[in-house]
Amino acid sequence: MPQESAVYTHGHHESVLRSHTWRTATNSAGYLLASLRPDMRILDVGCGPGTITADLAALVPDGEVTGLEYAPDILPQARATATERGVTNVHFAVGDVHALDYPDDAFDVVHAHQVLQHVGDPVQALREMRRVTAPGGIVAVRDADYSAMTWYPAVDGLPDWLDLYLRVARANGGEPDAGRRLHAWARQAGFDPAQITATAGTWCYHTPQERSWWSELWADRTVTSAYAGTAVDGGHATPEELARIGRAWREWGAQEDGWFTVLHGEILCRV
């Protein structure tokens, strides 16, 4: 069976989880929510710390949600998130989206947020997501498009950050511009083009508090996370270059006015 060949670029350093635990069903899966029914069975692929997963469970009180992760070390935090929120119709498991350990037609909805950009074979992942979705069900995927990210004002060092991130992510076997490719990947995976709805969504950080939070987490991620280690070990950057990029992030966050937009591609595929 196909297996994961890519390396997860971010890892689960605190600077990464600062961002991941901010995510909710509303700010990260809004394109899906109107399609949910209270009794649905949902598979949340790449659930991470479980914040979106717990939200989905609350939205299907008569159904059941499974949070799936390739990296087992983050699942205790996901379980703690569900416990803190008092949702009991959710459980978590370890698995590989390239070869899901579930029978055909097992779920009404299969959801993946910011996952396909990190996997070795996104088309195979979508085939598996389609296989385990029951007729009449939905496969819902949202992924970032790093090359389409925009910011203001221009700060020396941030273009270097983007160039470095693209190189590191691709060297790890992923595709950081996954958002723009989702529709094409879904067609290749066998979804009926007439049943694919493609949309786009954004996160926009512009208040002083938002800019400080976003710039600080990326400054820290650039010098201390698994991404930083991969950048150095792979010969993509020196520690000094990473430190310079980290300072650029803090410089941008300290500007009197600023704007950073993260663009996501979204597909909602009817099975």
Side-chain angles (χ1 to χ4, degrees):
M1 293 292 289
Q3 293 183 334
E4 182 58 82
S5 60
V7 176
Y8 180 45
T9 296
H10 297 293
H12 293 111
H13 185 268
E14 182 277 331
S15 60
V16 177
L17 294 180
R18 224 180 296 167
S19 171
H20 290 187
T21 55
W22 166 84
R23 297 172 182 173
T24 66
T26 299
N27 67 31
S28 300
Y31 69 106
L32 167 64
L33 301 189
S35 300
L36 298 182
R37 300 189 313 271
D39 61 347
M40 279 181 156
R41 303 160 296 164
I42 300 177
L43 176 65
D44 186 23
V45 177
C47 64
T51 52
I52 298 174
T53 319
D55 280 355
L56 293 174
L59 292 168
V60 293
D62 302 322
E64 184 177 11
V65 177
T66 300
L68 188 73
E69 251 300 331
Y70 188 71
D73 57 309
I74 193 61
L75 290 184
Q77 184 166 344
R79 294 186 179 100
T81 297
T83 299
E84 290 166 7
R85 298 192 186 180
V87 291
T88 58
N89 60 330
V90 59
H91 68 276
F92 297 92
V94 176
D96 183 349
V97 69
H98 296 88
L100 293 171
D101 191 22
Y102 300 103
D104 296 356
D105 307 340
F107 300 96
D108 302 301
V109 175
V110 178
H111 167 263
H113 182 267
Q114 307 275 42
V115 173
L116 294 192
Q117 63 180 282
H118 298 296
V119 306
D121 190 342
V123 174
Q124 171 61 21
L126 282 164
R127 288 193 190 104
E128 276 292 275
M129 294 168 72
R130 179 173 178 263
R131 178 185 66 78
V132 301
T133 303
I138 295 169
V139 172
V141 179
R142 188 179 200 244
D143 254 288
D145 190 318
Y146 273 77
S147 292
M149 293 184 184
T150 59
W151 58 85
Y152 173 87
V155 170
D156 287 344
L158 284 192
D160 296 329
W161 159 76
L162 180 57
D163 175 72
L164 176 64
Y165 183 84
L166 293 173
R167 287 188 284 115
V168 171
R170 287 176 176 141
N172 280 342
E175 176 44 69
D177 292 342
R180 68 183 66 182
R181 292 170 164 81
L182 295 181
H183 186 270
W185 286 344
R187 288 170 59 100
Q188 293 170 43
F191 288 94
D192 180 354
Q195 298 299 316
I196 303 172
T197 300
T199 54
T202 59
W203 292 333
C204 182
Y205 305 109
H206 66 92
T207 69
Q209 295 81 9
E210 289 169 345
R211 287 186 287 109
S212 175
W213 175 77
W214 183 245
S215 63
E216 287 294 326
L217 71 85
W218 265 107
D220 291 344
R221 191 182 301 191
T222 299
V223 298
T224 59
S225 70
Y227 158 65
T230 302
V232 173
D233 294 343
H236 303 288
T238 66
E240 293 75 20
E241 290 169 329
L242 294 182
R244 179 177 59 83
I245 292 171
R247 289 193 296 271
W249 268 110
R250 290 193 166 92
E251 180 184 349
W252 176 82
Q255 300 298 306
E256 183 176 356
D257 195 11
W259 176 286
F260 198 105
T261 301
V262 180
L263 178 68
H264 299 89
E266 304 162 343
I267 54 170
L268 195 154
C269 308
R270 303 278 179 178
V271 175

